[in-house]
Amino acid sequence: MRSAANTLPREPWNKGKIVGQKAPFKVKDIWALRVRLQMENRVRELALFNLGIDSKLRGCDLVSLKVRDVCHGDAVASRAVVMQQKTQRPVQFEITPVTREAVQSWIKQAGLRSDGFLFPSRMHSSPHLGTPQYARILEGWVEELGLDPADYGTHSMRRTKATLIYRRTRNLRAVQLLLGHTKLDYLPRRTMSGVCGTTSVGAAGDPGRWT
């Protein structure tokens, strides 16, 4: 005889949650958070945020980066190539000067070694920051910016730079290559337009220079 627990209807995992594509961050939000993290000397978070934006990596790939993945010797490289866990395809990304500075500061402060994880976990059960931990950190950022956490997730980081580049170039193929996608339908035009602020070109480190 089946137990009463087995006969109860299962509650959908997404009940009461907003699912689907998450919003990318706007340029004003990026700079606002960067300034806050810098002023509060939150070195690890600044490196995580900047590299998350620059790399456009999925959360699982970002948190499992090793120091050697982004460094040439003792210096942070201007470009990196990472093998994606989901697709087993390599993807290349630029590391902008502002991100290189943040990552270098974090490596120095934490005393990280070349063969170690770039974002080691503070929990003994995991060698590196886990995706749930990363998601909680990002939720904190969203709340600090006064935004609705329901509208943002770790995929917002992945979409931000791609969205800015698309607004400047209108080139879906370029965005596809940057994200390491094999299908263009992942980035329909309606989701890549009208969602970000101005991306004017400025000095080095300006979010508008992400090409």
Side-chain angles (χ1 to χ4, degrees):
M1 184 176 179
R2 298 174 64 187
S3 66
N6 290 333
T7 59
L8 292 174
R10 175 179 290 181
E11 183 175 285
W13 69 269
N14 58 351
K15 182 179 180 180
K17 299 180 180 179
I18 297 176
V19 296
Q21 288 188 335
K22 298 297 185 178
F25 289 100
K26 297 179 180 179
V27 172
K28 65 177 183 179
D29 298 326
I30 294 170
W31 282 113
L33 186 57
R34 276 179 177 165
V35 169
R36 178 186 289 268
L37 296 177
Q38 287 172 339
M39 291 182 64
E40 297 179 0
N41 198 33
R42 291 152 65 179
V43 182
R44 183 182 76 150
E45 289 184 52
L46 181 61
L48 181 64
F49 177 73
N50 283 352
L51 193 57
I53 294 289
D54 268 7
S55 69
K56 306 169 294 294
L57 291 172
R58 294 179 180 87
C60 60
D61 293 321
L62 177 63
V63 298
S64 60
L65 284 174
K66 290 196 170 183
V67 175
R68 64 188 178 211
D69 292 327
V70 298
C71 286
H72 289 166
D74 294 330
V76 178
S78 59
R79 289 185 179 276
V81 179
V82 172
M83 186 68 70
Q84 301 173 98
Q85 295 181 31
K86 181 178 179 179
T87 64
Q88 290 302 300
R89 291 173 177 269
V91 62
Q92 179 176 267
F93 55 88
E94 177 188 6
I95 306 177
T96 55
V98 68
T99 298
R100 293 202 297 271
E101 182 180 351
V103 172
Q104 191 75 61
S105 295
W106 164 240
I107 292 173
K108 182 178 180 180
Q109 183 188 88
L112 303 179
R113 300 179 55 172
S114 177
D115 59 349
F117 288 104
L118 186 58
F119 300 108
S121 176
R122 293 171 179 171
M123 301 172 63
H124 296 297
S125 59
S126 175
H128 60 75
L129 189 70
T131 48
Q133 294 171 282
Y134 173 43
R136 285 193 292 272
I137 291 171
L138 186 138
E139 184 176 357
W141 293 338
V142 171
E143 291 175 343
E144 289 181 59
L145 290 170
L147 303 174
D148 187 349
D151 294 335
Y152 296 85
T154 57
H155 219 62
S156 296
M157 301 285 285
R158 181 164 161 78
R159 293 188 63 216
T160 294
K161 191 169 182 177
T163 303
L164 294 174
I165 291 172
Y166 177 75
R167 281 183 58 83
R168 292 187 60 197
T169 66
R170 300 295 173 178
N171 188 334
L172 280 174
R173 176 59 178 169
V175 174
Q176 177 199 22
L177 293 174
L178 287 169
L179 292 176
H181 279 293
T182 57
K183 295 181 180 180
L184 278 173
D185 58 4
Y186 176 79
L187 295 168
R189 292 181 183 274
R190 64 183 177 81
T191 67
M192 296 301 294
S193 59
V195 290
C196 281
T198 303
T199 56
S200 58
V201 177
D206 188 319
R209 296 192 63 182
W210 290 337
T211 56

